[in-house]
Amino acid sequence: MRTYTIEELALLPEEKAVERFFDSRNYRLSRWLFAGAAVTTLITNFAVADEGRVVSMLLSFVNLVLLALIALFRRHPFLEENFRPALITWLLVAYALFLFTFDLWGTTLALSAFVLPFVLMLLRLRPSQRLALTATIAITGIWTGAGLQSQEEGSTAPLIVMIVMFNAIFTSIGHHLTARARTEFVLGWRSVASRERERVRMREELADARKIQLAMLPAASPAVDWIDIATVSLPATEVGGDFFDFFELGEGRLAIVIGDVAGHGVASGLVLAGIKSGLFLLQEELQRPIIAMEKLNRLVRDWVRWRMLVSLLVAVADPSTRRLRVVSAGSPPLIHYSPAQDSARTVGRGALPLGTRLAIHYSEDEVEMTEGDEILLYTDGASELMSRTGEIFGEERLIQSLRGASSRASAKSLRDRILEDLSHFKADSEQKDDITLVVARIRSLKTAS
């Protein structure tokens, strides 16, 4: 039977926790009883075998079987749930075995008045169980001892008095010790249980917040024929601060937005929800990304009263002009890689993040797109990922991940390659920041519509 920690017991109802605590304690004490009883039973079994005592031999067999079952299934859930009934059954069988094996008045008196009452005193039992066992021991001991004493034509009164007196004393002490142990355990259990319930509640709320956050991210890439897109967002905690979104602007144009709320956790998640709402209301303004960025900055600055900065990058791709326009606010620049020319460049000169009280002037960068080009938008959790030696992954490694892929690789294959490279670099070190990737590959600008 396993020993439960107070934190594990704190997750159970109070009465169940008390039962498990007492059963564990009883098992630790009973192991010595089981070992001693097994040896004694084997010895007495050989002693009575020649005398043909069928009842004693049968009880010896039952006793050994019970001990074997308890030893074999000590960690089985059934025995953990029913250890106390199993222990009580074994005590009665062992008691009966010794009474039927030794027809001695002294042995009966020792078992009924001293040995078994003392053992029961050490065990933590329910009051009803303790009283029932005590009554069984006392009545059986008096009845058996009286029969043996009558054979010697002696008075049974001293026997009755001793058995009743010592059983009453040991029962009273056992009840007091059990009540005190229960009180001490319950006081500690309630304190820990209160903390554990609070932790469980917080975990459930964080799980709900995580579900809400995931629901705010696009369920699928936009259905645009001319571009292939794959995404991933890996929060460092239950609720991350990264996000991305897509907005179709008509005539085949597509706005890709990626952002990072400072930190991660519930507070970041709440700000993220506000940014998501602001982008939804300003989606028509995304055709002019600088104007949209200025309005979002005012929104964050006026809405969030504590210091909470938001990095944001907006990329508007227009297949008709083959131009990709980028505006960044504190976000890492996107990477534009051309497999045909084997050239890579970063696009998006970074201004200050959203939410500062400083005057900010946003600028728009532009790059020409060609068929087969690869575009990577990412948050700083990817570029600043640290290895176990403290080295950061860096922008150059992201470029190498793109360069190392096949020229005909899909966006999903590109994303998976980058994730694999990040995973190998990180190894078993801790991920300290959220990682979000949006990988795009230009399919065919000729058919874009």
Side-chain angles (χ1 to χ4, degrees):
M1 176 175 291
R2 58 175 295 195
T3 300
Y4 293 87
T5 64
I6 189 66
E7 288 77 15
E8 291 175 314
L9 294 175
L11 300 176
L12 301 175
E14 182 175 312
E15 287 302 317
K16 190 69 173 178
V18 172
E19 293 288 322
R20 287 287 174 86
F21 172 70
F22 281 167
D23 283 348
S24 179
R25 186 186 185 283
N26 289 337
Y27 177 75
R28 291 197 301 272
L29 172 65
S30 301
R31 286 183 302 180
W32 299 99
L33 297 176
F34 295 153
V39 174
T40 306
T41 301
L42 289 173
I43 294 174
T44 55
N45 196 40
F46 284 115
V48 300
D50 295 335
E51 301 177 11
R53 296 189 180 185
V54 178
V55 175
S56 294
M57 294 179 65
L58 179 61
L59 288 172
S60 295
F61 176 76
V62 173
N63 187 38
L64 291 173
V65 168
L66 285 175
L67 290 172
L69 290 175
I70 292 174
L72 289 173
F73 298 99
R74 63 187 182 277
R75 296 189 181 279
H76 195 277
F78 178 81
L79 186 60
E80 290 196 355
E81 291 288 340
N82 300 276
F83 176 72
R84 201 168 304 184
L87 177 61
I88 292 173
T89 301
W90 172 77
L91 284 172
L92 292 175
V93 170
Y95 177 55
L97 170 63
F98 285 104
L99 288 183
F100 278 96
T101 300
F102 301 103
D103 295 335
L104 300 175
W105 178 86
T107 301
T108 302
L109 178 62
L111 285 173
S112 304
F114 299 103
V115 178
L116 210 50
F118 179 76
V119 170
L120 293 182
M121 179 190 74
L122 299 178
L123 296 175
R124 298 296 167 252
L125 305 172
R126 295 177 183 174
S128 58
Q129 294 171 335
R130 189 181 300 279
L131 289 174
L133 278 171
T134 300
T136 301
I137 293 168
I139 293 172
T140 306
I142 291 171
W143 176 73
T144 306
L148 295 173
Q149 185 75 351
S150 63
Q151 297 176 9
E152 301 178 5
E153 298 181 355
S155 174
T156 60
L159 171 70
I160 296 174
V161 171
M162 292 184 68
I163 291 178
V164 172
M165 180 180 67
F166 282 107
N167 272 274
I169 292 173
F170 284 126
T171 298
S172 177
I173 296 174
H175 177 73
H176 172 74
L177 293 176
T178 300
R180 188 174 70 177
R182 176 191 174 91
T183 300
E184 293 175 353
F185 170 76
V186 168
L187 286 175
W189 176 88
R190 286 176 178 172
S191 176
V192 176
S194 177
R195 294 197 301 269
E196 288 299 314
R197 284 194 297 269
E198 183 64 18
R199 289 195 186 101
V200 170
R201 183 188 65 79
M202 292 179 65
R203 283 196 295 267
E204 291 175 348
E205 290 185 358
L206 286 174
D208 292 339
R210 174 63 177 156
K211 292 177 183 177
I212 294 173
Q213 181 193 20
L214 291 175
M216 290 191 294
L217 298 178
S221 299
V224 181
D225 294 338
W226 62 272
I227 190 170
D228 178 26
I229 297 178
T231 61
V232 67
S233 186
L234 306 174
T237 58
E238 289 85 351
V239 182
D242 285 4
F243 66 97
F244 62 89
D245 211 339
F246 308 102
F247 299 91
E248 296 184 46
L249 306 179
E251 300 179 359
R253 290 173 298 176
L254 179 68
I256 306 173
V257 180
I258 188 170
D260 179 7
V261 179
H264 38 78
V266 176
S268 298
L270 292 173
V271 176
L272 186 155
I275 296 294
K276 174 78 174 182
S277 301
L279 284 168
F280 179 79
L281 295 173
L282 294 172
Q283 57 182 313
E284 294 183 0
E285 300 285 355
L286 291 175
Q287 301 182 60
R288 299 176 296 169
I290 290 180
I291 302 299
M293 196 73 79
E294 290 173 346
K295 291 183 177 181
L296 282 171
N297 181 50
R298 288 196 296 270
L299 171 69
V300 176
R301 184 183 60 198
D302 297 339
W303 171 52
V304 182
R305 297 188 180 278
W306 67 94
R307 183 177 177 82
M308 180 69 76
L309 303 180
V310 180
S311 301
L312 189 72
L313 183 143
V314 179
V316 179
D318 189 341
S320 61
T321 62
R322 295 174 176 256
R323 309 303 294 176
L324 178 67
R325 295 178 293 141
V326 181
V327 177
S328 174
S331 183
L334 66 78
I335 297 174
H336 174 258
Y337 175 67
S338 173
Q341 301 176 7
D342 191 22
S343 63
R345 61 176 294 188
T346 57
V347 185
R349 289 172 291 175
L352 292 174
L354 305 180
T356 67
R357 298 290 189 263
L358 303 175
I360 304 176
H361 300 285
Y362 298 103
S363 60
E364 182 178 292
D365 284 356
E366 199 173 272
V367 66
E368 182 178 358
M369 299 182 296
T370 59
E371 294 177 7
D373 284 359
E374 298 165 2
I375 301 169
L376 172 62
L377 292 78
Y378 61 95
T379 56
D380 56 10
S383 59
E384 296 177 4
L385 182 69
M386 297 184 67
S387 68
R388 69 179 70 179
T389 60
E391 184 181 6
I392 64 171
F393 192 77
E395 182 183 275
E396 186 59 35
R397 284 191 175 89
L398 290 171
I399 295 174
Q400 291 302 322
S401 295
L402 293 175
R403 179 175 282 121
S406 168
S407 60
R408 294 184 177 273
S410 65
K412 181 178 181 299
S413 298
L414 291 170
R415 179 202 65 188
D416 292 345
R417 178 181 175 84
I418 296 172
L419 288 176
E420 183 179 357
D421 290 345
L422 288 169
S423 178
H424 287 164
F425 181 81
K426 181 178 75 71
D428 57 357
S429 60
E430 180 185 2
Q431 177 186 335
K432 297 182 179 180
D433 198 2
D434 309 324
I435 296 175
T436 298
L437 305 174
V438 178
V439 184
R441 186 175 184 276
I442 307 302
R443 284 174 172 162
S444 176
L445 294 172
K446 297 177 181 178
T447 60
S449 60

